[in-house]
Amino acid sequence: MMNIRFPNNDFTSFEAPMRAEIDLDGLEVVQGAVPQHLDGGFFRLIGDRKWPSFVENDVFMLNEDGMASCFYFKDGRVNFRMRYVRTPRFVAEEKAGRALFGQYRNPFSDDSSVAGLSRGTANVTMLVHGGKLLAMKEDSPAIEMNPFTLETIGEYDWDGKVTATAITAHPKIDSRTGELVFFGYCAAGPATTDIAYYEADSNGRIIHEAWFHAPYTCMVHDIMVTQNYVVFPITPLRHELEWIQRHEPAFKWDYTKEVYLGVLPRKGRGDQIRWFKGPNQCHGHTIGAYDDGRYIYADNTFSKRSFFRFFPNIDGSQIEPAHTMPYAKRVVIDMEGQGDGFTEQPLFEYPGELPRIDTRFETVPYSFATMNLLDVPGQERVGGGFQWIATLDVSGKGPSKILYAGHNCSIGEPQFVPAHDEAAEGEGYIMAVVGRHEQMRSELLILDASDINAPPVATVALPFRLRSTGHGYWYGGRQLRGETNLLGAW
């Protein structure tokens, strides 16, 4: 029997593996009061390996087992639940009592006993649509879970209508129709240029499918969706079959390639795609997007190269840390123009990521956004990474506000929750999990979205730490019960 030991784990790091499934009812509210009318769940996904990897210098977070968690709100009380997503990969390794899957996005490095089995970790995003809760990772099928217990139900393919082998971690819900817009890249297998685009109606039934080829193989992490168009960003975080066959990193940054923005009409055919070209840069996440019939206005985060430094430069050159810093930009595409370019303009002066909007304004004109910041020059800090939360008005009409969450902390993705059904855009709360590293515990902040520098509406304490995560989403009780697909406080 082999010993279980994670390399370099001295049990003092805030990001050490947790490996624990947790139920804790009645979390302590150590400051303020939780709004009584909030009824729903703040869902998060983290990477948390159950078994030590046999890969040297394994990719942090991205190649780890998905761990779903939720803060459940009801009548001013908050309960917490955390469960592993029992993917085919997780089940196989749990049965074996050891890791069986090798390098990130590389099936050629796996134990022979799991050849052909889905490698997905379901560790990026939790989606509720059509009354179903899905855990998603862009290299594999979605995994359905029970929204109230977090028990795994199994792989989900929309009743066999979705044939792509991989589904995005960043679908969009049309705020006017409740339709789901989603896609998969490498949709025909590892390192293929195939992209599959789908739409499902408000009940979750597939109503559209189109396939096309990207100009080159790469990571396509997010998309931009408006009322009339879908925009697919092709940026050169390249992915080649020969690299993974040689057991090299699955992704490398290529400074020589142009960026392509592929625009399709909503529910359009693959042969209708129109490509617009621009300068070399890396797309991070979409903030929001809309169109006026002629122009597409798409707000995104971009950096000079991939944010992830464990993906090397293709030429082996040294990575410049400043090149990994993402900034918010607006891209404007003229659909009636004769050229194949697009214009850009900066939206915010400080580097940041994990942007969110009031999703009641998804696909339509909007102004409110919130995101995490990596640096605010001139402000004292102790620690690194995401330590600030910002709110901004992308129209430029209102002021931005910035909150420093404290020394030696880390902040998860902020999530907007409307105050009530008739709330104006941006009227409500921002939720974010903050890790207090010196105390080795986490807490949930509930902030007034109109003034994040005011004392928190409430601070909900956990008696343990939660590892860093990419994404968190609030879903009201009506969404969880399948009564609506639109964001609400309950």
Side-chain angles (χ1 to χ4, degrees):
M1 183 70 69
M2 62 178 291
N3 289 326
I4 305 302
R5 187 73 173 98
F6 284 81
N8 304 316
N9 182 17
D10 60 3
F11 299 95
T12 63
S13 168
F14 198 85
E15 300 298 345
M18 290 185 66
R19 308 177 74 209
E21 296 183 307
I22 298 171
D23 289 279
L24 182 57
D25 290 344
L27 297 184
E28 291 185 70
V29 181
V30 297
Q31 177 271 326
V34 174
Q36 290 280 327
H37 67 288
L38 289 180
D39 182 352
F42 182 31
F43 292 82
R44 303 169 76 243
L45 267 180
I46 62 175
D48 193 2
R49 270 195 170 275
K50 178 70 179 289
W51 306 103
S53 175
F54 57 80
V55 174
E56 187 175 359
N57 298 319
D58 192 24
V59 171
F60 169 69
M61 186 172 65
L62 301 187
N63 202 30
E64 300 183 348
D65 296 307
M67 180 76 88
S69 64
C70 185
F71 295 86
Y72 290 99
F73 286 70
K74 183 74 171 180
D75 299 328
R77 180 179 172 127
V78 184
N79 299 331
F80 181 79
R81 178 166 289 128
M82 189 159 73
R83 292 286 187 276
Y84 273 113
V85 186
R86 282 168 164 73
T87 61
R89 168 179 175 148
F90 181 91
V91 171
E93 292 189 334
E94 188 173 48
K95 183 178 179 179
R98 63 183 180 91
L100 299 171
F101 293 81
Q103 294 169 306
Y104 179 64
R105 302 288 286 273
N106 187 346
F108 301 104
S109 63
D110 297 343
D111 188 279
S112 60
S113 66
V114 293
L117 195 66
S118 174
R119 309 184 79 253
T121 51
N123 64 8
V124 178
T125 302
M126 305 211 70
L127 167 74
V128 171
H129 184 263
K132 294 186 180 296
L133 172 66
L134 303 177
M136 310 183 87
K137 173 68 176 280
E138 62 203 52
D139 61 354
S140 50
I143 302 292
E144 185 180 358
M145 303 185 77
N146 184 303
F148 303 103
T149 67
L150 297 184
E151 299 305 317
T152 299
I153 297 171
E155 289 190 328
Y156 185 70
D157 61 5
W158 284 263
D159 296 325
K161 300 297 185 182
V162 171
T163 58
T165 61
I167 293 298
T168 177
H170 286 291
K172 311 296 181 193
I173 297 176
D174 188 316
S175 60
R176 290 188 175 175
T177 66
E179 293 171 332
L180 182 70
V181 183
F182 64 107
F183 75 104
Y185 74 93
C186 295
T192 59
T193 58
D194 300 80
I195 294 179
Y197 153 50
Y198 295 94
E199 295 208 18
D201 68 14
S202 60
N203 294 313
R205 293 186 292 260
I206 298 298
I207 57 175
H208 183 73
E209 178 182 14
W211 289 65
F212 60 93
H213 288 277
Y216 50 78
T217 55
C218 67
M219 182 180 290
V220 188
H221 186 62
D222 205 344
I223 53 171
M224 300 149 247
V225 182
T226 74
Q227 283 292 295
N228 295 299
Y229 299 102
V230 185
V231 184
F232 299 86
I234 307 301
T235 60
L237 184 54
R238 299 282 308 284
H239 180 46
E240 295 292 348
L241 186 64
E242 63 187 57
W243 297 344
I244 58 177
Q245 289 174 330
R246 295 197 298 258
H247 296 274
E248 297 174 4
F251 293 89
K252 302 178 186 181
W253 180 253
D254 188 347
Y255 280 105
T256 69
K257 291 287 188 181
E258 289 183 298
V259 164
Y260 290 80
L261 300 181
V263 181
L264 267 182
R266 287 279 299 271
K267 302 178 179 66
R269 304 185 313 272
D271 61 6
Q272 292 180 284
I273 196 158
R274 183 176 172 187
W275 294 104
F276 295 83
K277 294 185 288 186
N280 181 275
Q281 57 190 311
C282 188
H283 182 258
H285 291 97
T286 300
I287 305 172
Y290 61 94
D291 73 87
D292 61 11
R294 174 174 180 174
Y295 293 99
I296 297 172
Y297 304 93
D299 302 336
N300 305 269
T301 56
F302 285 96
S303 51
K304 290 186 176 181
R305 60 131 13 239
S306 172
F307 175 76
F308 294 117
R309 300 181 191 182
F310 43 69
F311 295 138
N313 292 334
I314 196 170
D315 61 0
S317 61
Q318 185 175 356
I319 294 172
E320 296 289 340
H323 291 182
T324 68
M325 295 294 246
Y327 289 84
K329 295 181 182 180
R330 169 161 290 181
V331 169
V332 181
I333 304 171
D334 184 356
M335 293 304 295
E336 295 181 11
Q338 299 304 308
D340 64 353
F342 55 86
T343 62
E344 301 174 82
Q345 61 189 61
L347 283 179
F348 199 58
E349 59 185 310
Y350 302 130
E353 251 294 1
L354 305 177
R356 299 305 306 276
I357 66 172
D358 180 342
T359 56
R360 297 174 301 163
F361 293 83
E362 192 80 75
T363 77
V364 299
Y366 78 104
S367 58
F368 174 85
T370 182
M371 64 191 303
N372 289 341
L373 301 183
L374 287 158
D375 191 25
V376 179
Q379 284 200 14
E380 180 187 3
R381 74 184 300 184
V382 177
F386 296 118
Q387 291 186 272
W388 292 268
I389 299 173
T391 56
L392 56 150
D393 183 339
V394 299
S395 72
K397 297 177 182 178
S400 60
K401 297 183 179 180
I402 297 174
L403 169 68
Y404 179 61
H407 293 346
N408 293 314
C409 79
S410 55
I411 306 175
E413 180 179 51
Q415 166 68 56
F416 174 78
V417 182
H420 51 82
D421 284 352
E422 305 304 320
E425 182 186 6
E427 178 189 353
Y429 313 101
I430 291 175
M431 294 184 182
V433 172
V434 177
R436 302 295 179 191
H437 291 211
E438 291 179 345
Q439 301 170 29
M440 292 294 280
R441 66 172 185 84
S442 296
E443 61 191 25
L444 174 65
L445 293 184
I446 304 174
L447 306 171
D448 181 346
S450 67
D451 186 5
I452 58 175
N453 288 299
V457 175
T459 302
V460 182
L462 289 166
F464 47 82
R465 62 186 172 85
L466 292 177
R467 298 184 81 203
S468 297
T469 183
H471 301 291
Y473 288 78
W474 166 270
Y475 296 108
R478 289 170 295 181
Q479 287 175 283
L480 299 181
R481 294 188 296 270
E483 298 168 11
T484 181
N485 291 312
L486 302 184
L487 185 69
W490 58 278

